[in-house]
Amino acid sequence: MLFGSFPLIFTNRKTTVPVKDTPKHQGLRNQLVTQLEAKGITDKNVLEAIRLIPRHLFLNSSFEDFAYQDKAFPIGAGQTISQPYTVAFQSQLLQVKKDDKVLEIGTGSGYQTAVLCKMGAKVYSVERQNELFKSTSLLLPKLGIRAKHLSFGDGYKGLPAHAPFDSIIVTAGAPIIPQPLMAQLKIGGRLVIPVGEKEQIMTLLIRKNETQFEKHEFGDFKFVPLLENKN
Ligand code: SAH
């Protein structure tokens, strides 16, 4: 990982203007972490990852001054980077342990991917927008983040070739819980998925055995929709 050896100059998403990670950005991240703690995030591993990952480099440089606000922002292709609180909340529900095999549906900007990698997970991520798949596949290695596998495709199907997973995180609002994702979870594994059309209920499924899942529901969230591929 490159983070920690500052200042480094990176070229961020969709701009040729070099954008640095500076002590100012690090200070803003520390403030963000304090806010997330105040909102109830307690997992030290999650908070540390958010403290270290330079979120502004996952956005177009025009958002540089806003990147550490606890808000979602556009990332192109009609999609958004999730709000840091949402990233933290979902990551906390996953209870990631080092070297866990984690499947992410909806790579988007790659920010959630980076947080999970920083937490020590081996991340497999799927994105259905080719533009985002391509730009994020280029961006992550530039930032020193090595996801195990990035793929272009339909997350409704999961990634059967790489299953089973210790946990699965869906970062778009799903009208239903896709059955293939449940099937690709290890026994004891956790699936974190926002379920609903206009608004979603954050849902955690824990796989108890071959056929049984324990369901827990958390508050309302708002995500861009999990779309089905037409091809
Ligand atoms: N984790 C992302 C969130 C991006 S928003 C981030 O941190 O930036 C949700 C993403 O899910 C979008 O990029 C969208 O294109 C993608 N998506 C929607 N439906 C999908 C599907 N069926 N399969 C894979 N990705 C999907």
Side-chain angles (χ1 to χ4, degrees), residues 131-143:
E131 175 192 333
L132 286 171
F133 165 69
K134 283 196 203 145
S135 62
T136 297
S137 299
L138 290 173
L139 180 72
L140 288 174
K142 272 201 249 167
L143 300 181

Side-chain angles (χ1 to χ4, degrees), residues 174-190:
I176 50 135
I177 302 180
Q179 207 283 328
L181 299 186
M182 293 169 68
Q184 289 170 33
L185 209 53
K186 288 185 190 171
I187 307 290
R190 301 164 80 86

Side-chain angles (χ1 to χ4, degrees), residues 75 79-82 87 104-113 126-129 132 153-156 171-172 224-229:
I75 54 172
Q79 305 305 316
T80 54
I81 186 173
S82 297
V87 171
E104 177 191 24
I105 306 300
T107 317
S109 69
Y111 177 71
Q112 172 78 72
T113 319
V126 185
E127 172 56 53
R128 73 178 283 283
Q129 293 278 358
L132 286 171
D154 182 4
Y156 270 92
T171 69
V224 293
L226 186 70
L227 299 172
E228 272 186 276
N229 270 8

Side-chain angles (χ1 to χ4, degrees), residues 151-222:
S151 80
F152 171 57
D154 182 4
Y156 270 92
K157 300 187 179 75
L159 270 187
H162 296 278
F165 297 95
D166 292 295
S167 57
I168 301 178
I169 173 172
V170 179
T171 69
I176 50 135
I177 302 180
Q179 207 283 328
L181 299 186
M182 293 169 68
Q184 289 170 33
L185 209 53
K186 288 185 190 171
I187 307 290
R190 301 164 80 86
L191 168 60
V192 174
I193 179 166
V195 183
E197 305 264 355
K198 280 198 177 129
E199 282 202 338
Q200 295 83 28
I201 297 174
M202 191 62 74
T203 305
L204 166 67
L205 290 188
I206 302 172
R207 185 164 199 174
K208 290 293 167 193
N209 53 42
E210 274 307 314
T211 54
Q212 287 174 309
F213 292 79
E214 190 179 281
K215 185 176 177 179
H216 302 263
E217 291 185 333
F218 301 85
D220 287 344
F221 286 78
K222 205 159 169 46

Side-chain angles (χ1 to χ4, degrees), residues 5 13 39 62 64 77 107 177 180:
S5 44
R13 177 176 297 279
K39 290 179 183 176
S62 55
E64 190 187 344
T107 317
I177 302 180

